[in-house]
Amino acid sequence: MIQRTPFADTFTYVLMALGFVLLIGPFIVILAGASQTLQQVNSVPFRFVPQDHLLENAAAAWSRASLGTAMMNSLIMASLVTVGKVALSACTAFAIVFFRTPLKHFFFWMVFITLMLPLEVRVVPTYAVAADLFQPFRLLIAALTGIEVSVEWNLLNSYAGLTLPLIATATGTFLYRQFFMTLPDELAEAARMDGSGPARFFFDMLLPLSRTNMLALTTIMFVYGWNQYLWPLLMITDPAYKTTMMSLVALLPSENGTPDWNVTLAGSLIIMAPPLIVVAVLQRWFIRGLVATEK
Amino acid sequence: MADIDIRAVHKSYGKTKTLHGVDLSFASGEFVVILGPSGCGKSTLLRMIAGLEEITAGEIAINGRIVNTLEPRERGCAMVFQNYALYPHMTVAGNIGYALKVAGVPKAERDRRIEETAKIVGLSDYLTRRPAALSGGQRQRVAMARAIIREPKVFLFDEPLSNLDAKLRVTMRAEIRKLHQRLSATSVFVTHDQVEAMTLADKLVVMNKGHVEQVGQPLDIYHRPASVFVASFIGSPAMNLFETRVETGAATVRFGGAQVPIDGALAAQLRGKDIIVGIRPEQCVVVQPGNGVSAKVDFVEELGSGRVVHAEIDGQPFAAVIGEEMRVRPGDRISLELPPSQLHVFDRDSGRRIEFEAVPRAPQNAAEAPVLAIVE
Ligand SMILES: Nc1ncnc2c1ncn2[C@@H]1O[C@H](COP(=O)(O)OP(=O)(O)O)[C@@H](O)[C@H]1O
Ligand SMILES: [Mg+2]
């Protein structure tokens, strides 16, 4: 802040307090509700004080929504998406920044344009391809030669189907690109003089140097992968591949059954935990990676 | 040890031409300095030798082998960059040893050679530090060690001292020279600093606007600049230059309302021609009023050993070095004699030097010996 006046100070504090309450409020409701008994959670008025029944509620939620499989699936999916995105965007940015090819700008803009086409927008064609991978080729071959090829291959009900369409990422590419562009040209040239080829340069120089970026990206992308809902809903019909977001609905009390919201809340707390842990562990890197480049 | 041949080398970036046909040849073990103002294409030339920049036309041969299409690592050159370009995430040892690591040298031997090289440049105590924890001079040494350890045939330096403070620059200059004697690899050193160039070079290459202006030993170039550009670029304070013409029937040229005598044979050769005449400030002699060319003093620069008088003749700035015993104040008028044997004559159209053999170039006695004014 440039100015320091009592009025401005008070105003900022009120604003911050308001924002804090807005953000933390729902979380306190979950925490309090998840640790109360059936009677406590349904009592009016609702008491915002946590009790000591969290573990039994959590156990009930775990079995009701079979969270074991779902958590494992979500973990696999989020990890694959994260690793895939981090790796792919590093490679893409490497190609865009460090190679002189005539089509460089074309590819850069292609990547840029995909920012305007998130999965939600292209979900129907993406699903069509995932459901029948050879469809485009079959059409092409049929048009060219008149031969009908009947190969069936789809990605439905598989980890590949869950993750592959989510891996291409413009955000990550940009983050890396910005970082790579801050590196002096001489760094690459010195490495070349020392005999290192492009691959060695990538692994020996770029990856270690972009560690903070990578961790920042990991944080964002893990949360993104974990929170996916629409895509798993389309791709997965087999309960063995269900993800946590799909299991949320199973946690709700049935319409005429007992209103055991404490169990529901305990379940959502479990589902919330992994991204929270990732953010908590990586937050230091996360902020550094987004704010400034390491000296 | 390797000789380098540069034949008719051109460089264009798209439509802009940066080098217009450079022909040079460096002998094995020579210390070559490429000197020129910023933007003249020195770095471009150096980077083409290194293999970091494509050669638009012409060819470069190292040890007789044309290297145009070779990768940098296949050329046997090592390079020291202006901003050092150290690997920030590696220790000093890691930086120095990276080339060996890439080359697959076993760890034990690598460590031994890192130790050895670090000792040469005086970095033995800093091997585990990161570059960020080093001073400018130490970073410079790491950059040099990184080049030395590869035992290259050719050392390339791109303004390696320009980020150091004046004192350190002098020290490092001496160290680079010593290192060169010890390693006896061919060295090509790029700089825009004439003092650096003069003190380091066996062979000096002066470049301007993508052309080579002159090649030779530093003192030869100082005494016989081949063009107006070289004359004004080398020497500090810079050579005085004035435009004039040789009148028919006289062995003098007009300057500042006076007739300056020139060599008779030269006058006969240049009759009626537009020329540029130059004289170094150190060679001007202060004489009794009424003789020579009259000049009005603008200001005086103290050098300690003498002083530089910045004066005005005919509205043009003109500098002269005078002894410390002389008292001059701004506004004074002094008379200067320009000895004919110390004049440099250039063609006004081409800017090239006009040679005349009659003039003895060797100074008659030590007092008159032209000294390089080395000013940092
Ligand atoms: N990559 C490049 N693209 C376009 N022009 C360049 C490039 N590199 C250098 N130049 C131009 O070439 C000229 C010579 O540059 P350089 O060799 O770096 O000069 P210097 O003598 O200062 O080292 C400059 O005018 C510069 O603008
Ligand atoms: Mg340069």
Side-chain angles (χ1 to χ4, degrees), chain B residues 14-314:
Chain B
K15 283 215 166 59
T16 46
K17 292 197 138 198
T18 300
L19 293 181
H20 316 269
V22 171
D23 282 285
L24 289 168
S25 125
F26 308 148
S28 197
E30 213 167 21
F31 199 112
V32 181
V33 175
I34 302 179
L35 174 68
S38 166
C40 71
K42 312 177 292 284
S43 300
T44 306
L45 183 60
L46 194 76
R47 292 157 51 81
M48 279 157 80
I49 300 172
L52 295 171
E53 206 76 68
E54 248 172 78
I55 298 166
T56 310
E59 56 190 30
I60 294 179
I62 298 178
N63 254 352
R65 180 169 175 223
I66 293 170
V67 296
N68 284 32
T69 56
L70 293 190
E71 276 290 303
R73 82 188 96 149
E74 298 162 309
R75 300 190 183 194
C77 304
M79 184 147 167
V80 178
F81 294 85
Q82 176 171 0
N83 59 7
Y84 319 136
L86 302 182
Y87 311 128
H89 58 296
M90 294 184 188
T91 60
V92 168
N95 268 281
I96 298 177
Y98 184 65
L100 299 187
K101 189 172 159 198
V102 173
V105 175
K107 178 112 177 51
E109 192 196 334
R110 203 160 75 212
D111 286 344
R112 186 180 56 74
R113 278 174 66 182
I114 291 174
E115 294 266 331
E116 248 174 50
T117 315
K119 207 150 129 209
I120 297 177
V121 295
L123 279 175
S124 301
D125 296 338
Y126 300 92
L127 284 177
T128 54
R129 288 221 198 156
R130 292 279 163 93
L134 297 177
S135 71
Q138 288 165 338
R139 286 181 207 184
Q140 176 64 61
R141 283 163 213 264
V142 178
M144 302 228 305
R146 195 168 65 177
I148 296 168
I149 199 169
R150 295 177 42 204
E151 297 170 353
K153 291 180 287 181
V154 178
F155 269 110
L156 304 172
F157 298 89
D158 193 355
E159 311 212 10
L161 306 182
S162 56
N163 287 350
L164 301 178
D165 61 59
K167 192 154 170 261
L168 202 53
R169 211 178 306 160
V170 177
T171 325
M172 289 306 291
R173 204 161 72 200
E175 281 188 34
I176 288 182
R177 188 66 228 199
K178 256 192 272 170
L179 205 67
H180 173 74
Q181 266 147 18
R182 169 168 181 171
L183 303 172
S184 68
T186 313
S187 298
V188 184
F189 186 105
V190 160
T191 181
H192 63 259
D193 181 327
Q194 50 156 322
V195 178
E196 234 164 74
M198 284 288 186
T199 46
L200 282 172
D202 293 328
K203 176 184 267 173
L204 181 57
V205 177
V206 185
M207 280 184 71
N208 183 31
K209 293 185 183 152
H211 292 281
V212 172
E213 289 273 340
Q214 191 171 3
V215 184
Q217 286 175 14
L219 279 182
D220 278 350
I221 293 183
Y222 179 83
H223 290 305
R224 303 171 88 93
S227 66
V228 171
F229 172 80
V230 178
S232 60
F233 194 72
I234 287 184
S236 171
M239 185 187 282
N240 299 299
L241 293 161
F242 54 92
E243 294 185 354
T244 183
R245 68 188 285 138
V246 186
E247 304 298 341
T248 32
T252 58
V253 293
R254 268 199 89 71
F255 179 52
Q259 293 293 336
V260 177
I262 61 167
D263 179 75
L266 184 69
Q269 182 191 333
L270 295 178
R271 200 134 291 165
K273 206 169 177 179
D274 285 333
I275 54 170
I276 295 177
V277 174
I279 181 158
R280 296 212 178 269
E282 305 88 281
Q283 312 297 358
C284 301
V285 183
V286 182
V287 289
Q288 291 299 316
N291 304 319
V293 188
S294 160
K296 189 166 144 282
V297 177
D298 279 339
F299 62 97
V300 181
E301 227 175 9
E302 286 295 343
L303 295 181
S305 56
R307 44 177 73 95
V308 185
V309 177
H310 292 270
E312 206 174 84
I313 298 177
D314 255 4

Side-chain angles (χ1 to χ4, degrees), chain A residues 138-155:
Chain A
R138 197 156 44 231
L139 288 178
L140 199 67
I141 292 170
L144 287 180
T145 63
I147 303 168
E148 281 280 331
V149 190
S150 56
V151 192
E152 282 283 337
W153 188 29
N154 69 63
L155 294 176

